[in-house]
Amino acid sequence: VLKSGKFMAIPTGLFLELPLNTEAQVRPRSGLAARMGITVLNTPGTVDASYRGEVQVILINLSEQDFVIHRGDRIAQLVIQRYVEAKFIEAQTLPGSDRAERGFGSTGVAS
């Protein structure tokens, strides 16, 4: 039972061996969030290719009612994603861009 306003790690029974340069992303289920107020707390959660333990899903109950979880319930989604390993190079300046330093909301249509 996931109490109202609480969070917990839910064991899934899944153990993965992922290919190099991939990760598994644990994501919320939209229907569960919309209907029940249940979502994944650290979304997306990342399972690294080197991890060999049981995959767990950190759920949070944002509703006002307790939520009962049964074995086999679909509580999250798992997406396998490739990634590129980046190499960082220290620099004193960066090349310019149209956006420059404009932050949050700056890529949307002006109102």
XYZ file of all heavy atoms in Angstrom:
846
model
N 0.850 -1.176 0.000
C 0.000 0.000 0.000
C 0.896 1.238 0.000
O 1.776 1.379 0.843
C -0.932 0.023 1.235
C -1.723 1.316 1.281
C -1.848 -1.176 1.245
N 0.651 2.109 -0.973
C 1.352 3.386 -1.052
C 0.417 4.442 -0.477
O -0.603 4.783 -1.070
C 1.724 3.702 -2.503
C 2.486 4.990 -2.770
C 3.754 5.088 -1.934
C 2.796 5.118 -4.245
N 0.751 4.910 0.710
C -0.103 5.860 1.422
C -0.154 7.209 0.700
O 0.780 7.600 0.009
C 0.422 6.078 2.850
C 0.458 4.821 3.690
C -0.906 4.521 4.204
C -0.857 3.379 5.203
N -2.170 2.970 5.608
N -1.238 7.910 0.890
C -1.418 9.246 0.323
C -0.272 10.151 0.750
O 0.095 10.199 1.923
C -2.755 9.819 0.809
O -2.879 11.163 0.409
N 0.324 10.851 -0.227
C 1.399 11.795 0.064
C 2.758 11.163 0.309
O 3.717 11.863 0.584
N 2.872 9.857 0.203
C 4.134 9.159 0.476
C 4.749 8.623 -0.815
O 4.106 8.546 -1.850
C 3.907 7.989 1.442
C 3.335 8.407 2.775
C 4.308 9.268 3.528
C 3.738 9.638 4.889
N 4.633 10.494 5.645
N 6.015 8.222 -0.715
C 6.690 7.596 -1.844
C 7.425 6.364 -1.349
O 7.735 6.249 -0.167
C 7.648 8.571 -2.544
C 8.775 9.045 -1.682
C 9.973 8.359 -1.634
C 8.641 10.198 -0.918
C 11.016 8.799 -0.837
C 9.674 10.656 -0.113
C 10.865 9.947 -0.073
N 7.687 5.437 -2.255
C 8.450 4.232 -1.908
C 9.010 3.586 -3.168
O 8.492 3.786 -4.262
C 7.590 3.235 -1.127
C 6.474 2.629 -1.942
S 5.353 1.420 -1.130
C 5.999 1.102 0.426
N 10.082 2.821 -2.982
C 10.671 2.052 -4.078
C 9.918 0.728 -4.186
O 9.830 -0.025 -3.220
C 12.153 1.819 -3.827
N 9.384 0.454 -5.359
C 8.597 -0.746 -5.607
C 9.455 -1.735 -6.399
O 9.853 -1.443 -7.535
C 7.314 -0.424 -6.417
C 6.541 0.739 -5.796
C 6.463 -1.668 -6.593
C 6.023 0.485 -4.408
N 9.756 -2.905 -5.851
C 10.517 -3.902 -6.610
C 9.693 -4.448 -7.770
O 8.477 -4.589 -7.653
C 10.812 -4.991 -5.575
C 9.850 -4.774 -4.461
C 9.398 -3.345 -4.518
N 10.353 -4.713 -8.905
C 9.634 -5.170 -10.106
C 9.867 -6.641 -10.433
O 9.138 -7.198 -11.253
C 10.057 -4.352 -11.339
O 11.447 -4.609 -11.596
C 9.818 -2.868 -11.132
N 10.903 -7.227 -9.874
C 11.252 -8.595 -10.249
C 12.062 -8.662 -11.530
O 12.393 -9.747 -11.999
N 12.395 -7.510 -12.109
C 13.162 -7.457 -13.358
C 14.642 -7.226 -13.079
O 15.005 -6.352 -12.287
C 12.663 -6.320 -14.250
C 11.239 -6.405 -14.758
C 10.872 -5.127 -15.503
C 11.073 -7.613 -15.655
N 15.471 -7.994 -13.772
C 16.916 -7.822 -13.751
C 17.341 -7.707 -15.206
O 16.907 -8.502 -16.041
C 17.605 -9.016 -13.085
C 17.267 -9.166 -11.632
C 16.072 -9.750 -11.238
C 18.143 -8.730 -10.666
C 15.748 -9.894 -9.898
C 17.830 -8.866 -9.318
C 16.630 -9.448 -8.930
N 18.185 -6.722 -15.539
C 18.522 -6.440 -16.937
C 20.014 -6.568 -17.186
O 20.827 -6.276 -16.304
C 18.104 -5.013 -17.302
C 16.649 -4.623 -17.092
C 16.472 -3.137 -17.367
C 15.742 -5.447 -17.968
N 20.356 -6.955 -18.398
C 21.711 -6.823 -18.907
C 21.586 -6.034 -20.195
O 21.159 -6.565 -21.221
C 22.367 -8.178 -19.174
C 23.789 -8.032 -19.677
C 24.456 -9.368 -19.969
O 23.873 -10.415 -19.654
O 25.566 -9.338 -20.529
N 21.924 -4.768 -20.134
C 21.762 -3.860 -21.271
C 23.040 -3.781 -22.094
O 24.138 -3.894 -21.548
C 21.397 -2.456 -20.775
C 20.085 -2.340 -20.014
C 19.981 -0.962 -19.369
C 18.918 -2.593 -20.940
N 22.923 -3.556 -23.396
C 24.110 -3.358 -24.231
C 24.873 -2.093 -23.818
O 24.297 -1.164 -23.253
C 23.538 -3.192 -25.644
C 22.166 -3.767 -25.593
C 21.687 -3.552 -24.188
N 26.144 -2.073 -24.139
C 26.986 -0.905 -23.885
C 26.378 0.317 -24.566
O 25.790 0.208 -25.636
C 28.390 -1.165 -24.433
C 29.483 -0.186 -24.029
C 29.676 -0.180 -22.519
C 30.782 -0.559 -24.718
N 26.491 1.477 -23.957
C 25.977 2.751 -24.467
C 24.460 2.765 -24.585
O 23.902 3.419 -25.473
C 26.625 3.142 -25.793
C 28.092 3.502 -25.630
O 28.549 3.825 -24.529
N 28.839 3.444 -26.691
N 23.791 2.028 -23.710
C 22.343 2.125 -23.603
C 21.979 2.319 -22.143
O 22.768 2.043 -21.236
C 21.611 0.871 -24.136
O 21.977 -0.249 -23.340
C 21.900 0.619 -25.593
N 20.774 2.798 -21.936
C 20.213 2.926 -20.595
C 18.745 2.537 -20.684
O 18.149 2.584 -21.757
C 20.324 4.372 -20.081
C 19.505 5.343 -20.909
C 19.335 6.708 -20.271
O 19.382 6.817 -19.044
O 19.144 7.661 -21.033
N 18.186 2.152 -19.571
C 16.747 1.931 -19.490
C 16.174 3.120 -18.721
O 16.659 3.465 -17.644
C 16.437 0.624 -18.772
N 15.178 3.763 -19.294
C 14.534 4.907 -18.648
C 13.200 4.448 -18.066
O 12.363 3.903 -18.775
C 14.302 6.035 -19.643
C 15.581 6.612 -20.199
C 15.317 7.709 -21.212
O 14.175 8.031 -21.530
N 16.388 8.286 -21.732
N 13.022 4.662 -16.768
C 11.779 4.329 -16.081
C 10.911 5.578 -16.112
O 11.298 6.627 -15.595
C 12.047 3.892 -14.629
C 10.748 3.543 -13.927
C 13.028 2.723 -14.594
N 9.748 5.444 -16.733
C 8.865 6.596 -16.927
C 7.479 6.313 -16.355
O 7.057 5.171 -16.279
C 8.725 6.907 -18.416
C 10.035 7.246 -19.090
C 9.806 7.526 -20.543
N 11.059 7.766 -21.246
C 11.131 8.062 -22.519
N 10.040 8.160 -23.244
N 12.295 8.267 -23.090
N 6.739 7.380 -16.012
C 5.381 7.182 -15.486
C 4.426 6.699 -16.570
O 4.677 6.856 -17.753
C 4.960 8.571 -15.014
C 6.076 9.490 -15.266
C 7.139 8.778 -16.026
N 3.317 6.146 -16.140
C 2.216 5.786 -17.034
C 1.210 6.918 -16.959
O 0.735 7.264 -15.879
C 1.591 4.473 -16.603
C 2.619 3.337 -16.667
C 1.992 1.998 -16.727
N 1.153 1.931 -17.915
C 0.019 1.272 -17.966
N -0.420 0.614 -16.930
N -0.691 1.254 -19.062
N 0.873 7.488 -18.089
C 0.017 8.672 -18.102
C -1.368 8.397 -17.524
O -1.920 9.231 -16.803
C -0.102 9.241 -19.515
O -0.640 8.277 -20.395
N -1.936 7.234 -17.806
C -3.261 6.920 -17.282
C -3.274 6.809 -15.773
O -4.196 7.285 -15.105
N -2.236 6.204 -15.210
C -2.136 6.070 -13.761
C -1.998 7.440 -13.110
O -2.603 7.721 -12.075
C -0.937 5.181 -13.420
C -0.872 4.542 -12.049
C -2.085 3.692 -11.762
C 0.398 3.710 -11.929
N -1.226 8.302 -13.734
C -1.057 9.653 -13.204
C -2.351 10.453 -13.313
O -2.764 11.117 -12.350
C 0.071 10.370 -13.946
N -3.014 10.375 -14.456
C -4.220 11.176 -14.686
C -5.402 10.710 -13.843
O -6.163 11.521 -13.331
C -4.595 11.126 -16.174
N -5.550 9.390 -13.719
C -6.722 8.863 -12.995
C -6.507 8.702 -11.500
O -7.433 8.849 -10.715
C -7.128 7.509 -13.586
C -7.760 7.621 -14.968
C -8.374 6.317 -15.430
N -7.397 5.242 -15.590
C -6.655 5.054 -16.681
N -6.762 5.875 -17.701
N -5.805 4.049 -16.754
N -5.261 8.379 -11.094
C -5.022 8.017 -9.702
C -4.063 8.950 -8.962
O -3.901 8.834 -7.763
C -4.472 6.587 -9.626
C -5.337 5.549 -10.328
S -6.980 5.396 -9.627
C -6.611 4.675 -8.057
N -3.358 9.833 -9.676
C -2.385 10.706 -9.019
C -1.118 9.986 -8.609
O -0.421 10.407 -7.690
N -0.795 8.891 -9.310
C 0.405 8.100 -9.017
C 1.411 8.343 -10.130
O 1.102 8.204 -11.305
C 0.076 6.590 -8.947
C -1.071 6.320 -7.986
C 1.319 5.777 -8.604
C -0.811 6.697 -6.552
N 2.654 8.681 -9.758
C 3.667 8.941 -10.778
C 5.033 8.480 -10.283
O 5.209 8.133 -9.107
C 3.685 10.432 -11.176
O 4.488 10.590 -12.353
C 4.185 11.323 -10.069
N 6.005 8.491 -11.176
C 7.378 8.125 -10.845
C 8.071 9.373 -10.311
O 8.046 10.428 -10.942
C 8.116 7.568 -12.083
C 9.563 7.256 -11.757
C 7.400 6.324 -12.605
N 8.669 9.242 -9.144
C 9.240 10.410 -8.464
C 10.456 10.987 -9.180
O 10.561 12.188 -9.345
C 9.610 10.041 -7.020
C 10.076 11.180 -6.140
C 9.019 12.269 -6.041
C 10.418 10.670 -4.753
N 11.362 10.170 -9.618
C 12.594 10.668 -10.264
C 12.539 10.404 -11.759
O 13.373 9.719 -12.320
C 13.820 9.998 -9.653
C 13.830 8.509 -9.893
O 12.796 7.857 -9.841
N 14.990 7.950 -10.160
N 11.557 10.980 -12.407
C 11.336 10.652 -13.802
C 12.167 11.507 -14.747
O 12.268 12.708 -14.534
C 9.831 10.764 -14.143
O 9.616 10.291 -15.456
C 9.305 12.144 -13.983
N 12.789 10.968 -15.780
C 12.886 9.528 -15.926
C 13.980 8.971 -15.029
O 15.049 9.573 -14.895
C 13.246 9.337 -17.389
C 13.993 10.583 -17.748
C 13.385 11.672 -16.904
N 13.709 7.847 -14.413
C 14.745 7.145 -13.654
C 15.651 6.434 -14.640
O 15.190 5.948 -15.670
N 16.921 6.371 -14.345
C 17.884 5.756 -15.257
C 18.441 4.474 -14.670
O 18.881 4.456 -13.527
C 19.049 6.725 -15.555
O 18.520 7.870 -16.220
C 20.108 6.077 -16.430
N 18.418 3.410 -15.479
C 19.089 2.157 -15.140
C 20.289 2.060 -16.066
O 20.138 1.964 -17.283
C 18.153 0.937 -15.336
C 18.890 -0.344 -14.975
C 16.880 1.095 -14.520
N 21.483 2.137 -15.506
C 22.713 2.079 -16.292
C 22.981 0.669 -16.794
O 22.563 -0.318 -16.182
C 23.911 2.508 -15.437
C 23.818 3.949 -14.988
O 23.483 4.805 -15.822
O 24.084 4.214 -13.800
N 23.733 0.570 -17.901
C 24.068 -0.723 -18.491
C 24.882 -1.592 -17.539
O 24.834 -2.817 -17.620
C 24.820 -0.520 -19.811
N 25.612 -0.992 -16.615
C 26.438 -1.770 -15.689
C 25.674 -2.255 -14.462
O 26.192 -3.057 -13.689
C 27.646 -0.934 -15.244
O 27.206 0.232 -14.573
N 24.446 -1.824 -14.265
C 23.654 -2.217 -13.094
C 23.119 -3.630 -13.268
O 22.579 -3.973 -14.324
C 22.500 -1.233 -12.896
C 21.626 -1.554 -11.712
C 22.113 -1.437 -10.416
C 20.316 -1.976 -11.891
C 21.308 -1.728 -9.324
C 19.508 -2.269 -10.808
C 20.009 -2.141 -9.525
O 19.209 -2.430 -8.450
N 23.250 -4.452 -12.252
C 22.789 -5.838 -12.321
C 21.769 -6.178 -11.233
O 21.332 -7.305 -11.122
C 23.965 -6.816 -12.207
C 24.907 -6.771 -13.383
C 24.219 -7.188 -14.673
N 25.133 -7.231 -15.792
C 25.340 -6.239 -16.617
N 24.713 -5.087 -16.445
N 26.178 -6.349 -17.624
N 21.390 -5.217 -10.432
C 20.406 -5.471 -9.387
C 18.981 -5.435 -9.921
O 18.738 -5.208 -11.105
N 18.039 -5.637 -9.021
C 16.628 -5.602 -9.392
C 16.202 -4.177 -9.715
O 16.531 -3.236 -8.991
C 15.777 -6.132 -8.241
C 14.302 -6.171 -8.555
C 13.479 -6.790 -7.427
O 14.023 -6.991 -6.321
O 12.300 -7.085 -7.673
N 15.475 -4.008 -10.803
C 14.931 -2.701 -11.164
C 13.803 -2.374 -10.185
O 12.919 -3.203 -9.957
C 14.406 -2.686 -12.614
C 13.726 -1.360 -12.939
C 15.545 -2.973 -13.590
N 13.872 -1.192 -9.608
C 12.816 -0.724 -8.721
C 12.273 0.588 -9.266
O 12.980 1.334 -9.931
C 13.352 -0.539 -7.299
C 13.830 -1.850 -6.704
C 14.141 -1.721 -5.241
O 13.415 -1.051 -4.506
N 15.214 -2.355 -4.815
N 11.030 0.850 -8.982
C 10.360 2.065 -9.440
C 10.003 2.890 -8.212
O 9.308 2.400 -7.316
C 9.083 1.726 -10.245
C 8.355 2.999 -10.654
C 9.421 0.879 -11.460
N 10.486 4.122 -8.160
C 10.159 4.997 -7.037
C 8.856 5.717 -7.373
O 8.830 6.642 -8.181
C 11.288 6.002 -6.748
C 12.597 5.261 -6.503
C 10.909 6.875 -5.550
C 13.806 6.172 -6.422
N 7.778 5.245 -6.773
C 6.457 5.832 -6.998
C 6.126 6.819 -5.894
O 6.535 6.647 -4.747
C 5.369 4.753 -7.013
C 5.293 3.823 -8.207
C 4.083 2.899 -8.061
C 5.206 4.590 -9.513
N 5.344 7.841 -6.258
C 4.811 8.782 -5.282
C 3.301 8.870 -5.490
O 2.822 8.860 -6.621
C 5.477 10.177 -5.376
C 4.996 11.074 -4.236
C 5.279 10.804 -6.741
C 5.834 12.328 -4.032
N 2.598 8.943 -4.384
C 1.142 9.036 -4.408
C 0.746 10.480 -4.124
O 0.813 10.943 -2.982
C 0.546 8.093 -3.349
C -0.962 8.081 -3.356
O -1.607 8.911 -3.985
N -1.535 7.141 -2.623
N 0.351 11.184 -5.159
C -0.037 12.589 -5.027
C -1.536 12.756 -4.792
O -2.026 13.879 -4.727
C 0.392 13.365 -6.278
C 1.898 13.341 -6.568
C 2.202 14.005 -7.898
C 2.663 14.009 -5.442
N -2.242 11.643 -4.648
C -3.682 11.701 -4.416
C -3.973 11.790 -2.915
O -3.062 11.733 -2.084
C -4.371 10.471 -5.009
O -4.160 9.342 -4.183
N -5.234 11.884 -2.607
C -5.656 11.947 -1.203
C -6.044 10.576 -0.670
O -6.467 10.461 0.481
C -6.824 12.925 -1.062
C -6.433 14.349 -1.398
C -7.587 15.328 -1.317
O -8.721 14.914 -0.979
O -7.356 16.515 -1.600
N -5.903 9.526 -1.492
C -6.284 8.174 -1.084
C -5.093 7.240 -1.181
O -4.218 7.421 -2.030
C -7.414 7.662 -1.982
C -8.660 8.509 -1.899
C -9.633 8.213 -3.029
O -9.385 7.381 -3.882
N -10.745 8.919 -3.034
N -5.063 6.232 -0.317
C -4.027 5.216 -0.391
C -4.184 4.441 -1.703
O -5.289 4.307 -2.227
C -4.131 4.256 0.792
C -3.822 4.932 2.124
O -3.314 6.080 2.124
O -4.085 4.306 3.167
N -3.080 3.936 -2.223
C -3.078 3.213 -3.493
C -2.505 1.820 -3.267
O -1.377 1.668 -2.789
C -2.240 3.974 -4.526
C -2.179 3.325 -5.868
C -3.283 3.297 -6.705
C -0.997 2.748 -6.309
C -3.221 2.695 -7.951
C -0.920 2.150 -7.551
C -2.043 2.122 -8.377
N -3.278 0.813 -3.576
C -2.852 -0.579 -3.391
C -2.171 -1.067 -4.662
O -2.732 -0.951 -5.757
C -4.056 -1.484 -3.040
C -3.600 -2.930 -2.882
C -4.739 -0.988 -1.771
N -0.975 -1.618 -4.510
C -0.206 -2.156 -5.629
C -0.209 -3.674 -5.513
O 0.120 -4.221 -4.456
C 1.239 -1.622 -5.618
C 1.224 -0.091 -5.655
C 2.042 -2.202 -6.781
C 2.535 0.544 -5.278
N -0.568 -4.338 -6.603
C -0.594 -5.804 -6.646
C 0.511 -6.310 -7.550
O 0.893 -5.630 -8.519
C -1.940 -6.303 -7.184
C -3.108 -5.835 -6.389
N -3.832 -4.709 -6.727
C -3.674 -6.331 -5.258
C -4.802 -4.532 -5.848
N -4.724 -5.498 -4.943
N 1.017 -7.499 -7.264
C 2.023 -8.126 -8.126
C 1.468 -8.183 -9.555
O 0.323 -8.573 -9.763
C 2.340 -9.529 -7.637
C 3.394 -10.229 -8.488
C 3.712 -11.617 -7.968
N 4.208 -11.604 -6.611
C 5.497 -11.399 -6.273
N 6.384 -11.173 -7.214
N 5.869 -11.403 -5.014
N 2.260 -7.753 -10.522
C 1.840 -7.779 -11.922
C 1.189 -6.491 -12.409
O 0.946 -6.344 -13.599
N 0.900 -5.546 -11.504
C 0.332 -4.260 -11.929
C 1.330 -3.520 -12.808
O 2.542 -3.566 -12.578
C -0.003 -3.381 -10.721
C -1.276 -3.780 -10.018
O -1.988 -4.664 -10.529
O -1.549 -3.202 -8.947
N 0.827 -2.838 -13.807
C 1.677 -2.018 -14.683
C 1.778 -0.636 -14.044
O 0.864 0.176 -14.139
C 1.101 -1.976 -16.085
C 1.055 -3.374 -16.702
C 0.596 -3.387 -18.117
N -0.712 -2.760 -18.264
C -1.221 -2.358 -19.407
N -0.552 -2.511 -20.520
N -2.408 -1.813 -19.454
N 2.901 -0.378 -13.386
C 3.062 0.851 -12.604
C 3.978 1.867 -13.277
O 4.056 3.013 -12.826
C 3.598 0.544 -11.189
C 4.936 -0.177 -11.258
C 2.565 -0.258 -10.400
C 5.654 -0.301 -9.930
N 4.686 1.464 -14.326
C 5.621 2.366 -15.012
C 5.903 1.803 -16.390
O 5.471 0.704 -16.736
C 6.918 2.500 -14.217
N 6.630 2.591 -17.177
C 7.076 2.160 -18.504
C 8.602 2.117 -18.502
O 9.247 2.909 -17.818
C 6.622 3.154 -19.569
C 5.128 3.326 -19.632
C 4.738 4.340 -20.663
O 4.682 4.027 -21.835
N 4.468 5.554 -20.224
N 9.151 1.212 -19.284
C 10.595 1.086 -19.401
C 10.966 1.284 -20.860
O 10.473 0.566 -21.737
C 11.037 -0.302 -18.923
C 12.521 -0.521 -18.717
C 13.037 0.347 -17.565
C 12.798 -1.982 -18.424
N 11.810 2.279 -21.135
C 12.244 2.585 -22.493
C 13.752 2.388 -22.567
O 14.490 2.967 -21.760
C 11.882 4.048 -22.873
C 12.431 4.399 -24.243
C 10.389 4.256 -22.799
N 14.193 1.568 -23.511
C 15.630 1.358 -23.723
C 16.100 2.401 -24.734
O 15.533 2.546 -25.810
C 15.923 -0.061 -24.249
C 15.254 -1.124 -23.377
C 17.430 -0.282 -24.366
C 15.673 -1.143 -21.944
N 17.135 3.125 -24.374
C 17.593 4.260 -25.174
C 19.107 4.190 -25.352
O 19.834 3.945 -24.393
C 17.204 5.555 -24.446
C 17.553 6.823 -25.146
C 16.657 7.054 -26.353
O 15.480 6.743 -26.328
N 17.227 7.592 -27.394
N 19.574 4.424 -26.571
C 21.023 4.583 -26.816
C 21.440 5.987 -26.395
O 20.644 6.910 -26.436
C 21.342 4.417 -28.298
C 21.173 3.028 -28.805
C 21.713 2.939 -30.243
N 21.407 1.670 -30.817
C 22.119 0.559 -30.623
N 23.191 0.621 -29.863
N 21.774 -0.574 -31.171
N 22.688 6.130 -26.030
C 23.202 7.461 -25.734
C 24.610 7.607 -26.290
O 25.294 6.617 -26.546
C 23.174 7.766 -24.229
C 24.077 6.887 -23.398
C 25.426 7.199 -23.223
C 23.577 5.759 -22.769
C 26.247 6.392 -22.457
C 24.389 4.952 -21.997
C 25.726 5.275 -21.844
O 26.535 4.471 -21.094
N 24.999 8.837 -26.502
C 26.334 9.153 -27.000
C 27.180 9.587 -25.820
O 26.752 10.399 -24.995
C 26.266 10.300 -28.044
C 27.655 10.708 -28.479
C 25.414 9.872 -29.226
N 28.366 9.020 -25.707
C 29.286 9.445 -24.663
C 29.964 10.726 -25.118
O 30.608 10.751 -26.164
C 30.335 8.361 -24.399
C 30.239 7.805 -23.003
C 31.277 6.753 -22.744
O 32.428 7.119 -22.411
O 30.918 5.575 -22.882
N 29.785 11.784 -24.364
C 30.347 13.089 -24.731
C 31.684 13.311 -24.034
O 31.900 12.839 -22.916
C 29.373 14.200 -24.335
N 32.543 14.016 -24.716
C 33.805 14.449 -24.115
C 33.713 15.960 -23.928
O 33.367 16.681 -24.864
C 34.988 14.106 -25.014
C 35.224 12.616 -25.113
C 36.465 12.302 -25.907
C 36.637 10.800 -25.974
N 37.842 10.418 -26.700
N 33.977 16.413 -22.732
C 33.900 17.840 -22.438
C 35.249 18.498 -22.652
O 36.287 17.941 -22.288
C 33.437 18.055 -20.993
C 32.004 17.671 -20.782
C 31.653 16.395 -20.382
C 30.992 18.598 -21.001
C 30.337 16.032 -20.204
C 29.672 18.255 -20.822
C 29.340 16.965 -20.419
N 35.210 19.674 -23.264
C 36.416 20.458 -23.508
C 36.218 21.801 -22.834
O 35.237 22.509 -23.096
C 36.662 20.652 -25.021
C 36.810 19.289 -25.703
C 37.873 21.541 -25.257
C 36.804 19.355 -27.219
N 37.134 22.145 -21.951
C 37.035 23.428 -21.258
C 37.341 24.559 -22.240
O 38.271 24.465 -23.041
C 38.030 23.473 -20.086
C 37.866 24.694 -19.225
C 38.739 24.649 -17.982
O 39.194 23.567 -17.603
O 38.953 25.732 -17.404
N 36.514 25.618 -22.178
C 36.696 26.763 -23.072
C 36.419 28.050 -22.303
O 35.644 28.056 -21.350
C 35.752 26.655 -24.261
N 37.028 29.123 -22.728
C 36.810 30.422 -22.109
C 35.576 31.106 -22.672
O 34.915 31.883 -21.999
C 38.042 31.324 -22.304
C 39.306 30.760 -21.668
C 39.158 30.555 -20.176
O 38.630 31.401 -19.464
N 39.601 29.402 -19.693
N 35.246 30.831 -23.947
C 34.077 31.421 -24.593
C 33.393 30.357 -25.451
O 33.990 29.338 -25.783
C 34.470 32.610 -25.499
O 35.353 32.133 -26.518
C 35.139 33.720 -24.711
N 32.147 30.627 -25.807
C 31.392 29.743 -26.684
C 30.984 30.507 -27.933
O 30.808 31.724 -27.885
C 30.122 29.252 -25.975
C 30.319 28.392 -24.738
C 28.983 28.096 -24.076
C 31.024 27.097 -25.124
N 30.797 29.799 -29.045
C 30.312 30.490 -30.239
C 28.895 31.004 -30.002
O 28.140 30.452 -29.193
C 30.333 29.408 -31.318
C 30.490 28.108 -30.623
C 31.038 28.385 -29.263
N 28.503 32.063 -30.706
C 27.172 32.651 -30.553
C 26.081 31.778 -31.144
O 26.345 30.822 -31.867
N 24.822 32.124 -30.812
C 23.657 31.454 -31.391
C 22.509 32.455 -31.431
O 22.556 33.502 -30.783
C 23.252 30.224 -30.574
O 22.662 30.616 -29.359
N 21.463 32.141 -32.189
C 20.297 33.028 -32.251
C 19.642 33.189 -30.882
O 19.162 34.260 -30.534
C 19.262 32.495 -33.241
C 19.750 32.606 -34.679
O 20.681 33.400 -34.934
O 19.198 31.889 -35.530
N 19.621 32.136 -30.098
C 18.961 32.165 -28.779
C 19.815 32.870 -27.739
O 19.297 33.471 -26.804
C 18.667 30.734 -28.341
C 17.888 30.672 -27.063
C 17.487 29.250 -26.759
N 16.786 29.157 -25.502
C 16.482 28.030 -24.928
N 16.798 26.893 -25.490
N 15.833 28.010 -23.780
N 21.112 32.746 -27.852
C 22.065 33.347 -26.910
C 21.796 32.874 -25.489
O 21.728 31.686 -25.246
C 22.068 34.864 -27.032
N 21.580 33.779 -24.550
C 21.377 33.435 -23.152
C 19.933 33.489 -22.715
O 19.643 33.386 -21.524
C 22.231 34.346 -22.265
C 23.713 34.159 -22.457
C 24.548 35.052 -21.551
O 23.990 35.610 -20.576
O 25.743 35.194 -21.820
N 19.013 33.680 -23.654
C 17.584 33.708 -23.268
C 17.196 32.340 -22.771
O 17.404 31.347 -23.455
C 16.743 34.154 -24.444
C 16.981 35.629 -24.815
C 16.027 36.111 -25.885
N 16.038 35.292 -27.094
C 16.892 35.427 -28.098
N 17.836 36.359 -28.033
N 16.815 34.649 -29.162
N 16.562 32.270 -21.611
C 16.268 31.006 -20.949
C 14.862 30.510 -21.119
O 14.311 30.528 -22.221
N 14.240 30.140 -20.022
C 12.938 29.485 -19.983
C 11.900 30.232 -20.830
O 11.710 31.414 -20.685
C 12.435 29.379 -18.548
C 13.309 28.542 -17.678
C 14.131 29.133 -16.744
C 13.319 27.156 -17.803
C 14.960 28.356 -15.931
C 14.120 26.379 -17.013
C 14.946 26.985 -16.069
N 11.258 29.487 -21.718
C 10.194 30.051 -22.544
C 10.671 30.848 -23.733
O 9.850 31.364 -24.507
N 11.970 30.963 -23.931
C 12.457 31.831 -25.002
C 12.328 31.212 -26.385
O 12.481 31.900 -27.378
C 13.929 32.189 -24.749
O 14.740 31.033 -24.826
N 12.050 29.909 -26.483
C 11.929 29.302 -27.806
C 10.500 29.238 -28.290
O 10.229 28.808 -29.403
C 12.511 27.867 -27.798
O 11.796 27.085 -26.838
C 13.988 27.879 -27.465
N 9.543 29.657 -27.463
C 8.132 29.632 -27.832
C 7.740 30.857 -28.643
O 8.539 31.766 -28.878
N 6.487 30.865 -29.101
C 5.957 31.985 -29.864
C 5.715 33.156 -28.923
O 5.127 33.004 -27.858
C 4.648 31.574 -30.569
C 4.035 32.740 -31.297
C 4.899 30.409 -31.500
N 6.157 34.305 -29.315
C 5.937 35.511 -28.490
C 4.467 35.854 -28.437
O 3.751 35.729 -29.430
C 6.739 36.669 -29.058
N 3.996 36.296 -27.277
C 2.573 36.649 -27.150
C 2.359 38.132 -27.264
O 3.222 38.928 -27.237
C 2.013 36.152 -25.834
O 2.831 36.527 -24.751
